[in-house]
Amino acid sequence: MVSLHDKIVAITGASGGIGEATARLLARRGAAVVLSARRGERIDATAKDIREEGGRAVWRVVDVTKAEDLRRLVSTAIDEYGRLDVLVNNAGIAPISPLADLDTEGWSAMIDVNLRGMLNGVAAALPVFRKQGSGHLVSIVSVAGLSVSPSMAVYAATKNAVRTVHEGLRAESTDGVLRTTAISPGYVRTDLADSMADPHLRERTRRNMNAMGLPPAAVARAVAFAIEQPGDVEIGEINVRPTVQA
């Protein structure tokens, strides 16, 4: 097992699912983690667990739609550990529905959290990475951004947009300072379906996640793999799919 000792990693959406699994795995491998989410009691409990196991963890309540919250998250990492090596953009929501339902509030929420939240992370972390001379941006995207399914048009659009931003950052980062990795899972057994308003769609998605979903730890291992690579090895995108697809 490769050690992540000395890596300082901030993670958004760390109150459950992929974010929590990633925080626990990276801490076990030696990284110091800075957990963030809107549910403070959840990330507080996770941080306590990590510290009780001998790991290093702090936390901050963050709403990724607010740029100042992401700036405070980055500042917390620097204040506590002296720098920030990796920002994992994991926060996301999926109040999906057919376009004909005209759920404009859900559309706006997905754009704000999934896309604008990622951009707020870029705006907060990139100046620090430039000043340090190195940094790694990891974003949890989705295979939904590669193949659009019914009811998922806007969700897929936000994920595709995140992938596009990553490619733009990669193309602009010719000086070797910034590394970028987009990780695209298929179904993952998380509580993402809770944000879906349609009860039938919510239940169907939960069934699919339970039947075919990856454990969050599988995606966490992909994150760890990307971070562990030497600086001259570029891992631009990782697709993590279940063995059976819907």
Side-chain angles (χ1 to χ4, degrees):
M1 182 180 295
V2 178
S3 173
L4 288 170
H5 184 65
D6 288 338
K7 291 289 187 181
I8 312 302
V9 184
I11 305 167
T12 67
S15 60
I18 295 170
E20 179 184 350
T22 299
R24 292 181 183 276
L25 177 62
L26 298 186
R28 286 197 299 270
R29 295 195 182 183
V33 293
V34 185
L35 285 64
S36 69
R38 287 180 294 185
R39 296 179 290 186
E41 70 284 354
R42 295 282 295 273
I43 49 176
D44 179 33
T46 300
K48 286 179 179 176
D49 285 348
I50 289 171
R51 290 193 295 267
E52 287 174 0
E53 294 174 2
R56 295 174 293 166
V58 295
W59 62 274
R60 176 175 286 280
V61 172
V62 165
D63 179 345
V64 297
T65 68
K66 298 177 180 178
E68 60 272 20
D69 279 16
L70 270 300
R71 289 193 293 268
R72 283 196 290 266
L73 174 63
V74 171
S75 295
T76 297
I78 295 170
D79 292 344
E80 292 288 337
Y81 302 115
R83 68 182 187 280
L84 176 66
D85 297 309
V86 185
L87 174 62
V88 179
N89 284 299
N90 169 70
I93 59 172
I96 62 175
S97 62
L99 288 170
D101 285 359
L102 301 180
D103 180 17
T104 56
E105 290 186 5
W107 300 348
S108 295
M110 283 186 281
I111 292 169
D112 285 344
V113 174
N114 300 351
L115 176 57
R116 197 184 310 278
M118 178 266 188
L119 289 170
N120 286 339
V122 171
L126 192 54
V128 172
F129 292 162
R130 293 288 180 203
K131 184 177 180 180
Q132 293 174 165
S134 66
H136 192 172
L137 181 75
V138 178
S139 290
I140 307 302
V141 192
S142 173
V143 296
L146 298 171
S147 178
V148 183
S149 301
S151 304
M152 300 186 74
V154 177
Y155 176 76
T158 63
K159 293 300 186 177
N160 233 327
V162 170
R163 179 176 287 104
T164 299
V165 172
H166 263 262
E167 179 59 19
L169 285 168
R170 186 200 62 78
E172 293 176 10
S173 301
T174 57
D175 56 4
V177 171
L178 179 68
R179 301 173 67 190
T180 65
T181 304
I183 297 178
S184 295
Y187 279 120
V188 183
R189 294 194 291 271
T190 70
D191 59 2
L192 193 67
D194 291 349
S195 61
M196 300 175 185
D198 185 311
H200 300 292
L201 184 58
R202 184 169 60 244
E203 184 57 32
R204 187 180 72 196
T205 302
R206 283 175 177 160
R207 286 199 304 270
N208 287 338
M209 285 179 169
N210 290 333
M212 299 179 293
L214 294 159
V219 186
R221 288 193 292 271
V223 175
F225 173 78
I227 296 172
E228 288 166 347
Q229 301 311 300
D232 59 349
V233 177
E234 182 177 359
I235 306 294
E237 182 160 359
I238 301 174
N239 293 336
V240 187
R241 298 172 182 256
T243 54
V244 178
Q245 291 291 303

